[in-house]
Coordinates of all heavy atoms in Angstrom, one line a residue:
M1 N 88.2 97.5 96.4 CA 88.4 96.7 97.7 C 89.8 96.1 97.8 O 90.4 95.6 96.7 CB 87.4 95.5 97.5 CG 87.4 94.7 98.8 SD 87.0 95.6 100.3 CE 87.6 94.5 101.6
Y2 N 90.4 96.3 98.9 CA 91.7 95.8 99.1 C 91.8 94.6 100.0 O 91.3 94.7 101.2 CB 92.5 96.9 99.8 CG 92.9 98.1 98.9 CD1 92.1 99.2 98.8 CD2 94.0 98.1 98.1 CE1 92.3 100.2 98.0 CE2 94.4 99.1 97.3 CZ 93.5 100.2 97.3 OH 93.8 101.2 96.4
T3 N 92.1 93.5 99.5 CA 92.2 92.3 100.2 C 93.4 92.3 101.2 O 94.3 93.2 101.0 CB 92.3 91.1 99.2 OG1 93.6 91.2 98.6 CG2 91.2 91.0 98.3
V4 N 93.4 91.4 102.1 CA 94.5 91.3 103.0 C 95.8 91.1 102.2 O 96.8 91.7 102.5 CB 94.2 90.1 104.0 CG1 95.5 89.8 104.8 CG2 93.1 90.4 104.9
E5 N 95.8 90.2 101.3 CA 97.0 90.0 100.5 C 97.4 91.3 99.7 O 98.7 91.5 99.6 CB 96.7 88.8 99.5 CG 96.8 87.5 100.1 CD 98.1 87.2 100.9 OE1 99.2 87.5 100.3 OE2 98.0 86.8 102.0
K6 N 96.5 91.9 99.1 CA 96.9 93.1 98.4 C 97.5 94.2 99.3 O 98.4 94.9 99.0 CB 95.6 93.7 97.7 CG 95.9 94.7 96.6 CD 94.7 95.0 95.8 CE 94.9 96.0 94.8 NZ 93.7 96.3 94.0
R7 N 96.8 94.4 100.5 CA 97.3 95.4 101.5 C 98.8 95.0 101.9 O 99.6 95.9 102.0 CB 96.4 95.4 102.7 CG 95.2 96.3 102.4 CD 94.3 96.3 103.7 NE 93.4 95.2 103.7 CZ 92.8 94.8 104.8 NH1 92.9 95.3 105.9 NH2 91.9 93.9 104.6
K8 N 99.0 93.7 102.1 CA 100.3 93.2 102.5 C 101.4 93.6 101.5 O 102.5 94.1 101.7 CB 100.2 91.7 102.8 CG 101.5 91.1 103.4 CD 101.3 89.8 103.9 CE 102.6 89.2 104.5 NZ 102.3 87.9 105.1
M9 N 101.0 93.2 100.2 CA 101.9 93.5 99.0 C 102.2 95.0 99.0 O 103.4 95.4 98.8 CB 101.2 93.0 97.8 CG 102.1 93.1 96.6 SD 102.5 91.3 96.1 CE 101.1 90.9 95.1
I10 N 101.2 95.9 99.0 CA 101.5 97.3 98.9 C 102.3 97.7 100.0 O 103.2 98.5 99.8 CB 100.1 98.1 99.0 CG1 99.2 97.8 97.7 CG2 100.3 99.5 99.1 CD1 97.8 98.3 97.8
Y11 N 102.2 97.2 101.2 CA 103.0 97.6 102.3 C 104.5 97.1 102.2 O 105.4 97.9 102.4 CB 102.5 97.0 103.7 CG 103.2 97.6 104.8 CD1 103.1 98.9 105.3 CD2 104.1 96.7 105.5 CE1 103.8 99.4 106.4 CE2 104.9 97.2 106.6 CZ 104.7 98.6 107.0 OH 105.4 99.0 108.1
I12 N 104.6 96.0 101.7 CA 106.1 95.5 101.5 C 106.8 96.3 100.4 O 107.9 96.6 100.5 CB 106.0 93.9 101.1 CG1 105.5 93.2 102.3 CG2 107.4 93.5 100.6 CD1 105.2 91.7 102.0
I13 N 106.0 96.7 99.3 CA 106.6 97.5 98.3 C 106.8 98.9 98.7 O 107.9 99.5 98.5 CB 105.7 97.4 97.0 CG1 105.7 96.0 96.5 CG2 106.3 98.4 95.9 CD1 104.7 95.7 95.5
S14 N 105.9 99.6 99.3 CA 105.9 101.0 99.4 C 106.1 101.4 101.0 O 106.4 102.5 101.2 CB 104.7 101.6 99.0 OG 103.5 101.3 99.8
R15 N 106.0 100.4 101.9 CA 106.0 100.7 103.3 C 104.9 101.6 103.7 O 105.0 102.2 104.7 CB 107.4 101.3 103.7 CG 108.4 100.2 103.7 CD 108.1 99.1 104.7 NE 108.9 97.9 104.5 CZ 109.8 97.4 105.4 NH1 109.9 98.1 106.5 NH2 110.4 96.4 105.2
K16 N 103.9 101.7 102.9 CA 102.7 102.5 103.3 C 101.5 101.7 103.6 O 101.1 100.7 102.9 CB 102.3 103.4 102.1 CG 103.3 104.6 102.0 CD 102.8 105.5 100.7 CE 103.8 106.6 100.6 NZ 103.5 107.3 99.3
P17 N 100.9 101.8 104.8 CA 99.8 101.0 105.1 C 98.5 101.4 104.3 O 98.4 102.6 104.1 CB 99.6 101.3 106.6 CG 100.3 102.7 106.9 CD 101.3 102.8 105.9
T18 N 97.8 100.5 104.0 CA 96.5 100.7 103.3 C 95.4 100.5 104.4 O 95.3 99.5 105.0 CB 96.3 99.7 102.2 OG1 97.3 99.8 101.3 CG2 94.9 100.0 101.5
W19 N 94.6 101.5 104.6 CA 93.6 101.4 105.7 C 92.3 102.0 105.4 O 92.1 102.8 104.4 CB 94.2 102.2 107.0 CG 94.8 103.5 106.7 CD1 96.1 103.7 106.1 CD2 94.3 104.7 107.0 NE1 96.2 105.1 106.0 CE2 95.1 105.7 106.5 CE3 93.0 105.2 107.5 CZ2 94.8 107.1 106.6 CZ3 92.7 106.5 107.6 CH2 93.6 107.5 107.2
F20 N 91.3 101.5 106.1 CA 89.9 102.0 105.8 C 89.6 103.2 106.6 O 89.7 103.3 107.9 CB 89.0 100.9 106.2 CG 87.6 101.0 105.6 CD1 87.5 101.2 104.2 CD2 86.4 101.1 106.3 CE1 86.2 101.3 103.6 CE2 85.2 101.3 105.8 CZ 85.1 101.5 104.4
H21 N 89.4 104.3 105.9 CA 89.3 105.7 106.4 C 87.8 106.0 106.6 O 87.1 106.2 105.6 CB 89.9 106.6 105.4 CG 90.1 108.0 105.9 ND1 90.0 108.3 107.2 CD2 90.5 109.1 105.3 CE1 90.3 109.6 107.3 NE2 90.5 110.1 106.1
T22 N 87.4 106.0 107.8 CA 86.0 106.3 108.2 C 85.7 107.7 108.7 O 84.6 108.1 108.9 CB 85.4 105.2 109.1 OG1 86.3 105.1 110.3 CG2 85.4 103.9 108.5
H23 N 86.8 108.4 109.1 CA 86.6 109.7 109.7 C 87.4 110.8 108.9 O 88.2 111.5 109.5 CB 87.2 109.5 111.1 CG 86.3 108.8 112.0 ND1 86.4 107.4 112.0 CD2 85.3 109.1 112.9 CE1 85.4 106.9 112.9 NE2 84.8 108.0 113.5
C24 N 87.1 110.9 107.6 CA 87.7 112.0 106.9 C 86.8 113.3 107.1 O 85.7 113.3 106.7 CB 87.8 111.7 105.4 SG 88.8 112.8 104.5
L25 N 87.4 114.3 107.6 CA 86.8 115.5 107.8 C 86.4 116.2 106.6 O 87.3 116.3 105.6 CB 87.6 116.5 108.7 CG 87.7 116.2 110.2 CD1 88.8 116.9 110.8 CD2 86.4 116.6 110.8
T26 N 85.3 116.7 106.5 CA 84.8 117.5 105.3 C 85.5 118.9 105.4 O 85.6 119.5 106.5 CB 83.4 117.7 105.1 OG1 82.8 118.1 106.3 CG2 82.7 116.3 104.7
P27 N 86.0 119.4 104.3 CA 86.8 120.7 104.4 C 85.9 121.9 104.6 O 86.3 122.9 105.2 CB 87.4 120.8 102.9 CG 86.6 119.9 102.1 CD 86.0 118.8 102.9
T28 N 84.7 121.8 104.3 CA 83.8 122.9 104.7 C 82.7 122.5 105.8 O 82.4 121.4 105.9 CB 82.9 123.3 103.4 OG1 82.3 122.1 102.9 CG2 83.8 123.9 102.3
P29 N 82.3 123.5 106.6 CA 81.4 123.3 107.6 C 80.1 122.8 107.2 O 79.7 123.0 106.1 CB 81.2 124.6 108.4 CG 82.3 125.5 107.8 CD 82.7 124.9 106.5
G30 N 79.4 122.1 108.0 CA 78.1 121.5 107.6 C 78.0 120.0 107.7 O 78.9 119.4 108.2
T31 N 76.9 119.5 107.2 CA 76.7 118.0 107.4 C 76.8 117.4 106.0 O 76.4 118.1 105.0 CB 75.3 117.7 107.9 OG1 74.3 118.4 107.1 CG2 75.3 118.1 109.4
P32 N 77.2 116.2 105.8 CA 77.7 115.4 106.9 C 79.1 115.7 107.3 O 79.8 116.4 106.5 CB 77.7 113.9 106.3 CG 78.0 114.2 104.9 CD 77.2 115.4 104.5
L33 N 79.4 115.4 108.6 CA 80.7 115.9 109.1 C 81.9 115.1 108.4 O 83.0 115.6 108.2 CB 80.8 115.6 110.6 CG 82.0 116.1 111.4 CD1 82.3 117.6 111.1 CD2 81.9 115.8 112.8
W34 N 81.6 113.9 108.0 CA 82.6 113.0 107.5 C 82.4 112.7 106.0 O 81.2 112.5 105.6 CB 82.8 111.7 108.2 CG 82.8 111.8 109.7 CD1 81.8 111.5 110.5 CD2 83.8 112.3 110.6 NE1 82.1 111.8 111.8 CE2 83.4 112.3 111.9 CE3 85.2 112.8 110.3 CZ2 84.3 112.7 112.9 CZ3 86.0 113.2 111.3 CH2 85.5 113.1 112.6
H35 N 83.4 112.5 105.2 CA 83.3 112.1 103.9 C 82.8 110.6 103.9 O 83.0 110.0 105.0 CB 84.6 112.2 103.1 CG 85.0 113.6 102.6 ND1 84.1 114.3 101.8 CD2 86.0 114.4 102.9 CE1 84.7 115.4 101.5 NE2 85.8 115.5 102.2
D36 N 82.5 110.1 102.8 CA 82.2 108.6 102.8 C 83.4 107.8 103.1 O 84.5 108.2 102.7 CB 81.6 108.2 101.4 CG 80.2 108.8 101.1 OD1 79.6 109.1 102.1 OD2 79.8 108.9 100.0
P37 N 83.2 106.7 103.7 CA 84.4 105.9 104.1 C 85.1 105.4 102.8 O 84.5 105.2 101.7 CB 83.8 104.6 104.8 CG 82.5 105.1 105.3 CD 82.1 106.2 104.4
T38 N 86.4 105.4 102.8 CA 87.2 105.1 101.6 C 88.5 104.4 102.0 O 88.9 104.5 103.3 CB 87.5 106.3 100.8 OG1 88.3 105.9 99.6 CG2 88.3 107.4 101.6
W39 N 89.2 103.7 101.1 CA 90.5 103.1 101.4 C 91.6 104.2 101.2 O 91.4 104.9 100.2 CB 90.7 101.9 100.6 CG 89.9 100.8 101.0 CD1 88.7 100.4 100.5 CD2 90.3 99.8 102.0 NE1 88.3 99.2 101.1 CE2 89.2 98.9 102.1 CE3 91.4 99.6 102.9 CZ2 89.2 97.8 103.0 CZ3 91.4 98.6 103.8 CH2 90.3 97.7 103.8
V40 N 92.5 104.3 102.0 CA 93.7 105.2 101.8 C 94.9 104.5 101.9 O 95.1 103.5 102.8 CB 93.5 106.3 103.0 CG1 94.8 107.1 103.0 CG2 92.3 107.1 102.7
I41 N 95.9 104.8 101.1 CA 97.3 104.3 101.2 C 98.2 105.4 101.8 O 98.2 106.5 101.1 CB 97.7 103.8 99.8 CG1 96.8 102.7 99.3 CG2 99.2 103.2 99.9 CD1 97.1 102.2 97.9
G42 N 98.8 105.2 102.8 CA 99.7 106.2 103.5 C 98.8 107.2 104.1 O 97.9 106.8 105.0
D43 N 99.0 108.5 103.9 CA 98.2 109.5 104.5 C 97.1 109.9 103.6 O 97.2 109.9 102.4 CB 99.1 110.8 104.9 CG 100.1 110.6 105.9 OD1 100.1 109.4 106.4 OD2 100.9 111.5 106.1
C44 N 95.9 110.4 104.3 CA 94.8 110.8 103.5 C 95.2 112.2 102.8 O 95.8 113.1 103.5 CB 93.6 111.0 104.4 SG 92.2 111.8 103.5
E45 N 95.0 112.4 101.6 CA 95.3 113.6 100.9 C 94.4 114.8 101.3 O 94.8 116.0 101.1 CB 95.1 113.4 99.3 CG 96.2 112.5 98.7 CD 96.0 112.3 97.3 OE1 95.1 113.0 96.6 OE2 96.6 111.5 96.6
L46 N 93.3 114.5 101.7 CA 92.4 115.5 102.1 C 92.6 116.1 103.5 O 92.6 117.3 103.7 CB 90.8 115.1 102.0 CG 90.4 114.6 100.6 CD1 89.1 114.1 100.6 CD2 90.4 115.9 99.8
C47 N 92.7 115.2 104.5 CA 92.8 115.7 105.9 C 94.1 115.3 106.5 O 94.4 115.6 107.7 CB 91.6 115.1 106.7 SG 91.7 113.3 106.9
R48 N 95.1 114.6 105.8 CA 96.4 114.3 106.3 C 96.3 113.3 107.5 O 97.3 113.1 108.1 CB 97.2 115.5 106.8 CG 97.3 116.7 105.8 CD 97.7 116.4 104.4 NE 98.7 115.4 104.2 CZ 99.1 114.9 103.0 NH1 98.4 115.3 102.0 NH2 100.1 114.1 102.9
M49 N 95.2 112.7 107.6 CA 95.1 111.7 108.7 C 96.0 110.4 108.4 O 96.0 110.1 107.2 CB 93.7 111.2 109.0 CG 93.5 110.5 110.3 SD 91.8 109.9 110.5 CE 90.9 111.4 110.8
D50 N 96.6 109.8 109.4 CA 97.3 108.5 109.1 C 96.6 107.4 109.8 O 95.6 107.6 110.6 CB 98.8 108.7 109.5 CG 98.9 109.0 111.0 OD1 98.0 108.8 111.8 OD2 100.1 109.3 111.4
I51 N 97.1 106.2 109.7 CA 96.5 105.0 110.2 C 96.3 105.1 111.7 O 95.3 104.6 112.3 CB 97.1 103.8 109.7 CG1 96.4 102.5 110.1 CG2 98.6 103.7 110.3 CD1 97.0 101.1 109.5
D52 N 97.2 105.7 112.4 CA 97.2 105.7 113.9 C 96.1 106.6 114.3 O 95.5 106.3 115.3 CB 98.6 106.2 114.4 CG 99.7 105.1 114.1 OD1 99.5 104.0 114.3 OD2 100.7 105.6 113.4
N53 N 95.9 107.7 113.6 CA 94.8 108.6 114.0 C 93.5 108.0 113.7 O 92.6 108.1 114.6 CB 94.9 109.9 113.2 CG 95.8 110.9 113.9 OD1 95.7 111.2 115.1 ND2 96.8 111.5 113.2
Q54 N 93.4 107.2 112.7 CA 92.1 106.5 112.4 C 91.9 105.5 113.4 O 90.7 105.5 114.0 CB 92.3 105.9 111.0 CG 90.9 105.1 110.6 CD 89.7 106.0 110.5 OE1 89.6 106.8 109.7 NE2 88.8 105.9 111.5
D55 N 92.8 104.8 114.0 CA 92.7 103.9 115.0 C 92.2 104.6 116.2 O 91.3 104.1 117.0 CB 93.9 103.1 115.3 CG 94.3 102.0 114.3 OD1 93.3 101.6 113.7 OD2 95.4 101.6 114.2
W56 N 92.7 105.8 116.5 CA 92.3 106.5 117.6 C 90.8 106.9 117.5 O 90.0 106.8 118.4 CB 93.1 107.8 117.8 CG 92.8 108.6 119.0 CD1 93.3 108.3 120.2 CD2 91.9 109.7 119.1 NE1 92.8 109.3 121.1 CE2 91.8 110.1 120.4 CE3 91.1 110.4 118.2 CZ2 91.1 111.2 120.9 CZ3 90.3 111.5 118.6 CH2 90.4 111.9 119.9
W57 N 90.4 107.4 116.4 CA 89.0 107.7 116.1 C 88.1 106.5 116.3 O 86.9 106.6 116.7 CB 88.7 108.2 114.7 CG 89.1 109.7 114.7 CD1 90.2 110.3 114.0 CD2 88.3 110.9 115.1 NE1 90.2 111.6 114.2 CE2 89.1 112.0 114.9 CE3 87.2 111.0 115.8 CZ2 88.6 113.3 115.2 CZ3 86.7 112.2 116.2 CH2 87.5 113.4 115.8
N58 N 88.6 105.3 115.9 CA 87.8 104.1 116.0 C 87.6 103.7 117.5 O 86.8 102.8 117.8 CB 88.4 103.0 115.2 CG 88.2 103.2 113.7 OD1 87.4 103.9 113.2 ND2 89.1 102.5 112.9
N59 N 88.4 104.2 118.3 CA 88.4 103.9 119.7 C 88.5 102.4 120.0 O 87.7 101.9 120.8 CB 87.1 104.5 120.4 CG 87.2 104.6 121.8 OD1 88.2 104.6 122.4 ND2 86.0 104.7 122.4
C60 N 89.4 101.8 119.2 CA 89.5 100.3 119.3 C 90.8 99.9 120.2 O 91.7 100.8 120.3 CB 89.6 99.7 118.0 SG 90.9 100.4 117.0
S61 N 90.8 98.8 120.6 CA 92.0 98.3 121.3 C 93.0 98.0 120.3 O 92.8 97.9 119.1 CB 91.7 97.0 122.1 OG 91.4 96.0 121.2
Y62 N 94.3 97.8 120.7 CA 95.4 97.5 119.8 C 95.0 96.3 119.0 O 95.3 96.2 117.8 CB 96.6 97.4 120.6 CG 97.8 97.0 119.6 CD1 98.4 98.0 118.7 CD2 98.4 95.8 119.7 CE1 99.3 97.7 117.9 CE2 99.4 95.5 118.8 CZ 99.9 96.4 117.9 OH 100.9 96.1 117.0
N63 N 94.5 95.3 119.6 CA 94.3 94.0 118.9 C 93.2 94.2 117.8 O 93.1 93.4 116.8 CB 93.7 93.0 119.9 CG 94.9 92.2 120.6 OD1 95.9 92.1 120.0 ND2 94.6 91.7 121.7
Q64 N 92.4 95.2 117.9 CA 91.3 95.5 116.8 C 91.8 96.6 115.8 O 91.2 96.9 114.9 CB 90.0 96.0 117.5 CG 89.4 95.0 118.4 CD 88.3 95.7 119.2 OE1 88.5 96.7 119.9 NE2 87.1 95.1 119.2
S65 N 93.0 97.1 116.2 CA 93.5 98.2 115.4 C 94.0 97.9 113.9 O 94.3 96.7 113.7 CB 94.6 99.0 116.0 OG 95.8 98.2 116.0
Q66 N 93.9 98.7 113.0 CA 94.4 98.5 111.6 C 95.9 98.5 111.7 O 96.6 97.9 110.9 CB 93.9 99.6 110.7 CG 92.3 99.6 110.7 CD 91.9 100.3 109.4 OE1 91.9 99.9 108.3 NE2 91.3 101.5 109.7
R67 N 96.5 99.2 112.7 CA 98.0 99.2 112.7 C 98.6 97.8 113.0 O 99.7 97.5 112.5 CB 98.4 100.2 113.9 CG 99.8 100.2 114.4 CD 100.8 100.4 113.4 NE 100.8 101.8 112.8 CZ 101.5 102.2 111.8 NH1 102.3 101.3 111.2 NH2 101.4 103.4 111.4
K68 N 97.9 97.0 113.8 CA 98.5 95.8 114.3 C 98.9 94.9 113.0 O 99.9 94.2 113.1 CB 97.4 95.1 115.2 CG 98.0 93.8 115.8 CD 97.0 93.0 116.4 CE 97.6 91.7 117.1 NZ 96.6 90.7 117.5
F69 N 98.1 94.9 112.1 CA 98.3 94.1 110.8 C 99.6 94.4 110.3 O 100.4 93.5 109.9 CB 97.1 94.4 109.8 CG 97.3 93.8 108.6 CD1 97.3 92.4 108.4 CD2 97.5 94.5 107.4 CE1 97.3 91.8 107.1 CE2 97.6 93.9 106.0 CZ 97.5 92.6 106.0
Y70 N 100.0 95.7 110.2 CA 101.3 96.1 109.7 C 102.5 95.8 110.6 O 103.6 95.5 110.2 CB 101.2 97.6 109.3 CG 100.2 97.7 108.1 CD1 98.9 98.2 108.3 CD2 100.4 97.2 106.8 CE1 97.9 98.3 107.4 CE2 99.5 97.3 105.8 CZ 98.2 97.8 106.2 OH 97.3 97.9 105.1
D71 N 102.2 95.9 111.9 CA 103.2 95.6 112.9 C 103.7 94.0 112.7 O 104.7 93.7 112.8 CB 102.8 95.7 114.3 CG 102.7 97.3 114.6 OD1 103.3 98.0 113.8 OD2 102.2 97.7 115.7
L72 N 102.6 93.3 112.5 CA 103.0 91.8 112.3 C 103.6 91.6 111.0 O 104.6 90.7 111.0 CB 101.6 91.0 112.3 CG 100.8 91.0 113.6 CD1 99.5 90.2 113.4 CD2 101.6 90.4 114.7
I73 N 103.4 92.3 109.9 CA 104.1 92.1 108.7 C 105.6 92.6 109.0 O 106.5 91.9 108.5 CB 103.5 93.1 107.5 CG1 102.1 92.6 107.3 CG2 104.4 93.0 106.3 CD1 101.4 93.4 106.2
E74 N 105.7 93.7 109.7 CA 107.1 94.2 110.0 C 107.9 93.1 110.7 O 109.0 92.9 110.4 CB 106.8 95.4 110.9 CG 107.6 96.6 110.8 CD 108.2 97.1 109.4 OE1 107.4 97.6 108.7 OE2 109.4 96.9 109.2
K75 N 107.2 92.5 111.7 CA 107.9 91.4 112.4 C 108.3 90.3 111.4 O 109.4 89.7 111.6 CB 107.0 90.8 113.5 CG 107.2 91.4 114.8 CD 106.4 90.7 115.9 CE 106.1 91.6 117.0 NZ 104.8 91.3 117.7
D76 N 107.4 89.9 110.6 CA 107.6 88.8 109.5 C 108.9 89.2 108.7 O 109.8 88.4 108.5 CB 106.5 88.6 108.7 CG 105.4 87.7 109.3 OD1 105.8 87.1 110.3 OD2 104.4 87.4 108.7
L77 N 109.0 90.4 108.3 CA 109.9 90.9 107.4 C 111.4 90.8 108.1 O 112.3 90.4 107.5 CB 109.7 92.3 106.9 CG 108.5 92.5 106.0 CD1 108.3 94.0 105.7 CD2 108.8 91.7 104.7
K78 N 111.4 91.2 109.3 CA 112.7 91.2 110.1 C 113.2 89.8 110.2 O 114.4 89.6 110.2 CB 112.4 91.8 111.4 CG 112.3 93.3 111.5 CD 112.6 93.9 112.7 CE 112.4 95.4 112.6 NZ 111.2 95.9 113.1
V79 N 112.4 88.8 110.2 CA 112.9 87.4 110.3 C 113.7 87.0 109.1 O 114.7 86.3 109.1 CB 111.7 86.4 110.4 CG1 112.1 85.0 110.3 CG2 110.9 86.7 111.7
W80 N 113.4 87.6 107.9 CA 114.0 87.3 106.6 C 115.2 88.1 106.4 O 115.9 87.9 105.4 CB 113.0 87.4 105.5 CG 111.9 86.5 105.6 CD1 110.6 86.7 106.1 CD2 111.9 85.1 105.4 NE1 109.9 85.5 106.2 CE2 110.7 84.5 105.8 CE3 113.0 84.2 105.0 CZ2 110.4 83.1 105.7 CZ3 112.6 82.8 104.8 CH2 111.4 82.3 105.2
I81 N 115.5 89.2 107.2 CA 116.7 90.0 106.9 C 117.9 89.4 107.6 O 117.9 89.1 108.7 CB 116.4 91.5 107.4 CG1 115.2 92.1 106.6 CG2 117.7 92.3 107.3 CD1 114.8 93.4 107.1
Ligands
ZN1 ZN1 90.8 112.0 105.2

């Protein structure tokens, strides 16, 4: 489990967003269509999905997106540079 603080720390160190991956395509046809939801740092190794694609699949507004969290960190960091 990645807490908000842990995700923030990973992002500051690696610049890679940690996000909850609910739409990982299974490599072979058949059911279930998606792998079990899992946490991913950066891009998914299996399907190469990134956080923006996951937000798209979630069909959420920007305010509900996982991307927003990292945009806000990015803004915070710029204040200190
Ligand atoms: Zn995936």
Side-chain angles (χ1 to χ4, degrees):
M1 181 61 194
Y2 289 90
T3 60
V4 167
E5 281 307 310
K6 197 169 175 184
R7 277 180 273 160
K8 189 171 178 175
M9 189 107 84
I10 292 169
Y11 186 74
I12 290 168
I13 294 166
S14 71
R15 286 301 164 112
K16 288 180 181 170
T18 306
W19 46 283
F20 197 57
H21 191 13
T22 51
H23 291 77
C24 192
L25 281 166
T26 51
T28 50
T31 53
L33 185 58
W34 314 105
H35 284 301
D36 289 340
T38 180
W39 287 95
V40 169
I41 300 172
D43 291 355
C44 175
E45 286 177 14
L46 295 174
C47 68
R48 309 313 315 174
M49 194 184 290
D50 62 15
I51 188 172
D52 299 305
N53 273 311
Q54 179 62 70
D55 282 338
W56 184 83
W57 278 106
N58 288 341
N59 197 21
C60 54
S61 69
Y62 178 70
N63 275 334
Q64 298 166 307
S65 72
Q66 301 195 72
R67 163 60 67 189
K68 187 186 178 195
F69 177 64
Y70 297 101
D71 283 350
L72 292 177
I73 296 173
E74 214 38 73
K75 264 189 208 150
D76 275 356
L77 290 175
K78 284 202 179 99
V79 171
W80 297 102
I81 294 170

